[in-house]
Amino acid sequence: MDTTRKTIILFSGDFDKVMAAFIIANGAAAMDDDVTMFFTFWGLNALRRPEKVATTRKSPLQKAFAAMMPRGPGRLALSHMNFAGAGPKLMQRMMRQQNVMSLEELIATAREQGIKMVACTMSMDIMGLRAEELIDGLEFAGVASYLGDADEANVNLFI
């Protein structure tokens, strides 16, 4: 059987939407599909390192954007029922009770399965993010790269 290809654009930085994207990506990879995840705008927050990282020069606006955005998957908010920040903790508790992998584990599994994770360089520039602020093992490219992958895929999702 030929390998099929899937692409996922992750635009959202909401915890539940990021979870869904990684669950779908890992499921497709487990079925031997080639998977590309393209992280743009708020979706880039899922790839941020949780610790503050010294970076090269940023404009004042880029510094402000980067300071206001959550650092990493452990600090993402829910799209609904965020409850002043308590929502993600409640969701994570329910996930543990139901033996669902954490977002950090899903990201690690995606890396182990060879899922191609691409950070949008244009969005990084706009949002004031630098490569050293993101997790290791990523590719960096623009929309043309994603569109090339999408042209060859049989499923393209926008989350």
Side-chain angles (χ1 to χ4, degrees):
M1 183 175 181
D2 289 343
T3 300
T4 57
R5 299 189 68 178
K6 311 288 189 261
T7 69
I8 299 171
I9 296 176
L10 186 56
F11 174 82
S12 175
D14 294 329
F15 176 81
D16 44 330
K17 294 175 184 177
V18 174
M19 281 288 300
F22 275 99
I23 289 168
I24 293 166
N26 279 306
M31 295 170 52
D32 292 326
D33 290 343
D34 287 335
V35 181
T36 296
M37 297 180 78
F38 185 76
F39 297 81
T40 189
F41 289 97
W42 311 115
L44 287 166
N45 291 325
L47 302 177
R48 290 186 76 185
R49 295 178 186 274
E51 68 277 0
K52 188 172 182 168
V53 176
T55 62
T56 57
R57 291 177 287 175
K58 291 184 181 184
S59 73
L61 191 54
Q62 287 175 322
K63 287 179 185 176
F65 258 114
M68 289 186 288
M69 295 185 304
R71 277 196 197 99
R75 295 188 178 146
L76 300 177
L78 285 176
S79 61
H80 298 284
M81 299 185 295
N82 195 45
F83 300 123
K89 298 295 181 208
L90 295 171
M91 178 71 80
Q92 291 165 359
R93 181 176 168 194
M94 290 296 296
M95 290 166 50
R96 281 190 304 276
Q97 290 175 351
Q98 298 300 316
N99 296 316
V100 175
M101 292 172 73
S102 70
L103 182 50
E104 291 82 0
E105 291 170 323
L106 287 168
I107 293 170
T109 300
R111 294 165 86 176
E112 290 168 9
Q113 292 196 90
I115 291 173
K116 180 178 166 182
M117 292 191 276
V118 182
C120 176
T121 52
M122 182 202 69
S123 293
M124 288 174 64
D125 289 343
I126 292 169
M127 307 299 273
L129 296 174
R130 301 288 184 256
E132 58 267 22
E133 295 177 276
L134 304 179
I135 62 174
D136 295 328
L138 302 176
E139 294 183 28
F140 300 90
V143 70
S145 174
Y146 166 76
L147 291 172
D149 287 340
D151 280 345
E152 298 176 12
N154 62 319
V155 174
N156 298 295
L157 303 175
F158 183 93
I159 300 175

